[in-house]
Amino acid sequence: MSQTTTHDHRILVVDDEPSIVDAVATALRYEGYEVEEARTGRQALTTATTFDPDLIVLDWMLPDVDGIEVGRRLRDRGYRTAILFLTAKDATENKVEALRAGGDDYVTKPFSLAELVARVQAILRRTLDESRHEVFRGDAQVALTATEFNLLRYFLLNPRRVLSKAQILQNVWRYDFGGNSNVVETYVSYLRKKLDACGPPLIRTVRQVGYMLDAERD
């Protein structure tokens, strides 16, 4: 899901290595994005407030406040800005930590600029415009009801996580339906039908557990 042009998207690039900031920012500007730069965690937090980016390319190892802490603070403040972490750490537990801190994706150093740009584009395709309740997949607008919109929003806030029907009921409807989970199945079916009309299937059923937004497919 995305806006119809890349020029609508603002990206904040944060890294303490000037060469990386320059290379990434230049590549993203070439793709048509509006880009701001930051070299420290504190500067990233300040710039995120004033620039209001759609996505932050965020280095894990920063000299003051590390990237994981920056991500946590932004999430704690209510920012839903997408975050792509950059790091030299490549162990599974590191990736899990990054995602738990609010990261949407994770790229290990050294990386190619082409791969990073592709990851950025993939994340922004999954971004929805909450202010106008508009959702795009590719260039196609997806018309959703308020409940379908809130359900999609919950999936987008929890990419790659298996969500149980009980979790979905609690977070989307804010109360349970006397243990009746049929409403979740019904609305997931509605949402799938609309999203799948514009591309490959995104929501995967995990048998006897729940559902997961399969972010790798978009």
Side-chain angles (χ1 to χ4, degrees), residues 151-214:
L151 177 58
L152 176 59
R153 177 179 175 276
Y154 186 53
F155 276 120
L156 287 169
L157 290 173
N158 295 276
R160 301 189 186 89
R161 281 186 58 195
V162 178
L163 304 172
S164 70
K165 293 176 183 178
Q167 286 176 306
I168 295 171
L169 279 172
Q170 182 179 356
N171 287 277
V172 176
W173 279 268
R174 301 297 179 186
Y175 59 94
D176 64 49
F177 284 72
N180 181 2
S181 62
N182 290 340
V183 68
V184 174
E185 296 176 10
T186 300
Y187 273 93
V188 167
S189 175
Y190 291 159
L191 183 58
R192 267 185 176 146
K193 185 175 181 180
K194 292 183 177 182
L195 294 176
D196 293 357
C198 304
L202 281 177
I203 301 172
R204 184 154 61 92
T205 299
V206 181
R207 288 177 62 83
Q208 299 183 327
V209 182
Y211 303 95
M212 181 177 73
L213 181 69
D214 195 348

Side-chain angles (χ1 to χ4, degrees), residues 46-214:
T46 301
T47 307
T49 303
T50 56
F51 183 53
D52 192 22
D54 298 291
L55 182 144
I56 302 175
V57 178
L58 182 59
D59 185 37
W60 185 317
M61 301 299 290
L62 293 169
D64 52 351
V65 182
D66 69 37
I68 294 293
E69 182 61 24
V70 170
R72 289 196 183 106
R73 291 187 190 182
L74 288 172
R75 294 294 183 250
D76 288 346
R77 294 176 187 179
Y79 285 91
R80 300 192 180 99
T81 305
I83 298 175
L84 172 64
F85 278 107
L86 302 178
T87 180
K89 301 180 180 183
D90 59 1
T92 300
E93 57 266 28
N94 299 135
K95 185 170 185 177
V96 170
E97 185 178 359
L99 296 175
R100 284 178 176 168
D104 295 88
D105 207 344
Y106 178 105
V107 174
T108 56
K109 297 178 180 180
F111 55 85
S112 73
L113 287 173
E115 179 192 6
L116 185 136
V117 169
R119 296 287 188 96
V120 165
Q121 291 170 337
I123 292 172
L124 290 175
R125 280 200 301 270
R126 303 196 299 267
T127 302
L128 78 175
D129 184 339
E130 295 198 34
S131 63
R132 290 180 292 183
H133 278 215
E134 291 179 357
V135 176
F136 289 81
R137 187 170 185 195
D139 290 335
Q141 184 169 356
V142 184
L144 300 180
T145 66
T147 299
E148 291 164 353
F149 182 93
N150 289 332
L151 177 58
L152 176 59
R153 177 179 175 276
Y154 186 53
F155 276 120
L156 287 169
L157 290 173
N158 295 276
R160 301 189 186 89
R161 281 186 58 195
V162 178
L163 304 172
S164 70
K165 293 176 183 178
Q167 286 176 306
I168 295 171
L169 279 172
Q170 182 179 356
N171 287 277
V172 176
W173 279 268
R174 301 297 179 186
Y175 59 94
D176 64 49
F177 284 72
N180 181 2
S181 62
N182 290 340
V183 68
V184 174
E185 296 176 10
T186 300
Y187 273 93
V188 167
S189 175
Y190 291 159
L191 183 58
R192 267 185 176 146
K193 185 175 181 180
K194 292 183 177 182
L195 294 176
D196 293 357
C198 304
L202 281 177
I203 301 172
R204 184 154 61 92
T205 299
V206 181
R207 288 177 62 83
Q208 299 183 327
V209 182
Y211 303 95
M212 181 177 73
L213 181 69
D214 195 348

